Amino acid sequence: MQEPALQPPYTQRGWEGATISSLREYVRDHTNPPVFVVSGAVIIAFVVLGIVLTDPLLAGASAARDWIGSQLGWFYVLATTFFLGVAVFLMLSRFGKIRLGPDDSRPEFGTIAWFAMLFTTGMGIGLVFWGVAEPVTHLHSPRSSELAPVAPEPGAAPEPQPEAVGEALGLSFFHWSFHPWAIYIALGLSLGYFAFRKGLPLRPASALYPLLGDRAFGWPGNLVDILAVFGTIFGLATSLGLGTLQINGGLSEVFGLPNNSWSQSAIIIVITGIALFSVLSGIDKGIRRLSVINLWLAFILLAFVFAVGPKLWMISSTLTGAGEYLGNLVPWSLSFPSPLADETAANFTTGWSVFYWGWWISWAPFVGVFLARISYGRTIREFILGALFAPVVVSLLWFGVFGGSGLYYELFGEGGFNDGDEAQAAYHLLDALPLAPAVTVIASVLLILVVTIFFVTSSDSGSLVVDTLTNGGDTKPLRLQRAFWAVSEGGVTLILLVLGGTNALDALQAASVVTGLPFAVILVFMLWGLFKGLGSEPKPGEAKRLRAEDRPPPARTGSVRVDRRNEGDNPEEAEGT
């Protein structure tokens, strides 16, 4: 008997049935199989090892992180400073007028919506988590040995010095301002240029095309994309894990919810469900709207704390910290002290600055790809101005208000912010403010809401980025696949946080930092490729030269579609449903 012909198992709108052969065809048509399969295998293997061999994995990852920090930390220092210098040069050069797209293209999103999305994705949860905790930590463990806590009298416990406030805030500004965003710009600008102006897929390998040619889409490019997926997934899981701890801490502080693994499991499941709804709503209705809402909520919280807190102290400490930061920007940027010369500064640089540079670099694929995805039609100058300076202003204000207030109450109040529980530090600050109990509860609920929306937008944008990386660079991936990755991110966070405990998150964090080392090298080559591409752009008044090596390769599966809509802030979305 003749077997019936197989019907197409899928349409543009999604999956309708499956067989082994149709599944193979679906994977080939909607993913980049080597990247998808290998990335999935690595993620599963790491999760299993994180659960079964938590302590050995933590020890190995921590040892690798410490070795890189002490032996190769100088490379992180030079690389991040180089990225910052390149960003400033491109912003001021003639290349600043070049658009990320055709010459007649215009931005897909309005300025406020664009900034809200890049900020909430780039460092939303982390800024709220560390806003109070980091400056207070630097107050007790400063970079300069002469600012270390001193005992007020013999035999008494050492107490922090008020003179250390400027350095404590300045170092927080240093870690969260120009350098991290320069790293994101290095990747985001390279991808945006080659994807939207040269027509290549939106994947990190495309930025290496001027150097590797078609090999950029062979195994070397796949390896780069796999590394990008690894850094994105585990960097996100770490951030979402920290967000979960802070949400649980707030619910425990306000409503008495138990601060344990069961509560954290419920939080992850509920918020992943909200993120799934946002994914299915699309970028314009999901990420964009939530990001704008959360930007306003965060601003309201910031203004409230400033209004009821020690205003003169906050203004004074913020200005002093900004002056300390700007005055030491070059020395700190090029500093990698030897423990033989200054042991305190060397330990601080390795334990904090080098750690942050590695962490930001490991996050670069996630933030860079998403930043490129939402920046179609912007000029290079607009891109750098928005991504480099606007977030810096927000970081200065956030650390100045929350960190400054925390430093004030640590020095002149009851203190207790440096008890080791960073997730509770922001709530302890709200308790320390001169507020009625009911107002404190409302402010704490607002803080919980801000962290929750940051969680949702990070998960949503992360699913978009990972799907883009694993499908070959298609900027309009199927929502079904984005939903799969959103659930996967929540699942990885749940498994590691609940079954592996805090040690698993520590191992995950250390592994993310280690991932930053090879990607720092890749970013340098990406900028090399970017400058080669920009070299083909005509000078003012010249006709464009199109050399053979400047022509884009033939279209590939997952290539970027450039049929963009330019109707303003709220274009009709062309995503597959």
Side-chain angles (χ1 to χ4, degrees), residues 63-233:
R65 177 194 60 196
D66 295 341
W67 183 86
I68 290 173
S70 61
Q71 301 299 318
L72 297 175
W74 58 268
F75 177 71
Y76 279 134
V77 170
L78 290 178
T80 52
T81 304
F82 171 70
F83 300 147
L84 179 57
V86 168
V88 174
F89 168 77
L90 289 175
M91 180 183 66
L92 299 176
S93 71
R94 66 180 179 88
F95 301 122
K97 297 181 179 180
I98 297 174
R99 291 194 176 274
L100 303 182
D103 290 334
D104 60 350
S105 61
R106 291 298 179 268
E108 184 178 6
F109 299 101
T111 301
I112 293 179
W114 176 70
F115 170 70
M117 287 190 287
L118 73 88
F119 180 76
T120 55
T121 300
M123 52 180 53
I125 292 179
L127 197 64
V128 177
F129 189 92
W130 289 106
V132 176
E134 183 172 341
V136 172
T137 302
H138 295 335
L139 180 71
H140 286 269
S141 302
R143 185 182 190 276
S144 302
S145 56
E146 62 269 18
L147 296 176
V150 296
E153 57 186 34
E159 297 180 359
Q161 303 184 58
E163 294 84 355
V165 166
E167 184 185 82
L169 274 177
L171 288 167
S172 300
F173 297 157
F174 177 58
H175 294 147
W176 290 82
S177 296
F178 288 126
H179 284 74
W181 286 99
I183 294 169
Y184 299 155
I185 287 170
L187 181 61
L189 184 58
S190 299
L191 294 188
Y193 176 79
F194 285 106
F196 300 135
R197 194 163 182 88
K198 299 296 185 180
L200 300 180
L202 188 66
R203 46 182 293 200
S206 295
L208 301 176
Y209 182 78
L211 306 179
L212 300 179
D214 284 338
R215 287 178 298 169
F217 302 104
W219 70 264
N222 289 335
L223 183 61
V224 171
D225 291 347
I226 290 169
L227 192 62
V229 172
F230 182 81
T232 299
I233 284 289

Side-chain angles (χ1 to χ4, degrees), residues 445-469:
V445 171
L446 179 58
L447 179 59
I448 294 171
L449 182 61
V450 168
V451 176
T452 300
I453 299 179
F454 276 141
F455 191 129
V456 172
T457 53
S458 294
S459 178
D460 193 350
S461 55
S463 65
L464 172 66
V465 169
V466 175
D467 197 13
T468 300
L469 291 170

